[in-house]
Amino acid sequence: TYDIASALPVTAGVSIAGGFGGAFDLASRDVVDTPTVWNVLANQKAIEYGDQLDNSLPVVVDGVRITGNGVGNIGLDTDATDPCDLELRGVVITDMQDRGLRLRNSLDPGFDVLVTNSQSSRNGADGLSGSGAFDYVVYNSSFGANFQEGLDLDGLVPETGGTATLDVSSSQFFLNRDEGLDCTLRTPPLPSTGFFSVRIRGCSFERNGLSGCLVDADFEGAMS
């Protein structure tokens, strides 16, 4: 168990893995019975990640439990001016004051986000909040009892001339105060053609305060 007193700056190409015992033996790694827990202290983030070294590699977080205990601010945050690919595997984020995950991209190139076997629940805003050019794959993950949306993409934006992807499967969205999953399709940042690929399969949406699953388009700023 670790106390996180200030955001850990994690750059592209770095992998963080939890679930080790005192001997740090890979063969006996067990993320369930030997959990690695990060307690995020008041008004702090656990991680802020980006591609400061310009190596175009992903940040990988695997088998870590991040809890705000009602006082930590954000579990995982992007450097919006220099993001990179992100993989979350077996990550549990709970009880943050604000969002569990806040993903922002102010640039035109898109980046990949993979969330698998993970959870973001009981946070003071969204479980996962995304804005800008990202391609999302979410598999076997849960977003529950968040004070706003479980998964909120406002919006899903293609890079110029490219395709923005949202692929969600075998995941659960339940007891969120607003939508379980809310995705708004928005225009590319530069005047050009953009495309969308949205697939939601084998998911459950239960007892959310508003829509279970809402996918809509907001093209008011685009010329016909």
Side-chain angles (χ1 to χ4, degrees), residues 61-64 66 88-93 116-120:
V61 184
D62 185 336
V64 177
I66 301 172
L88 300 182
R89 303 176 180 274
V91 174
V92 176
I93 302 177
T116 182
N117 297 306
S118 295
Q119 175 190 150
S120 185

Side-chain angles (χ1 to χ4, degrees), residues 47-123:
I47 292 174
E48 184 173 50
Y49 78 95
D51 192 12
Q52 295 89 346
L53 300 180
D54 297 322
N55 59 25
S56 301
L57 295 172
V59 164
V60 180
V61 184
D62 185 336
V64 177
R65 298 184 185 181
I66 301 172
T67 178
N69 297 303
V71 297
N73 189 24
I74 294 174
L76 189 146
D77 198 10
T78 48
D79 178 351
T81 63
D82 199 6
C84 64
D85 295 343
L86 174 68
E87 297 182 12
L88 300 182
R89 303 176 180 274
V91 174
V92 176
I93 302 177
T94 59
D95 300 301
M96 309 304 301
Q97 273 190 332
D98 197 336
R99 291 154 175 84
L101 303 161
R102 186 172 70 173
L103 311 182
R104 297 289 184 267
N105 180 10
S106 61
L107 307 178
D108 183 39
F111 297 92
D112 295 334
V113 175
L114 170 67
V115 180
T116 182
N117 297 306
S118 295
Q119 175 190 150
S120 185
S121 300
R122 301 196 308 269
N123 299 294

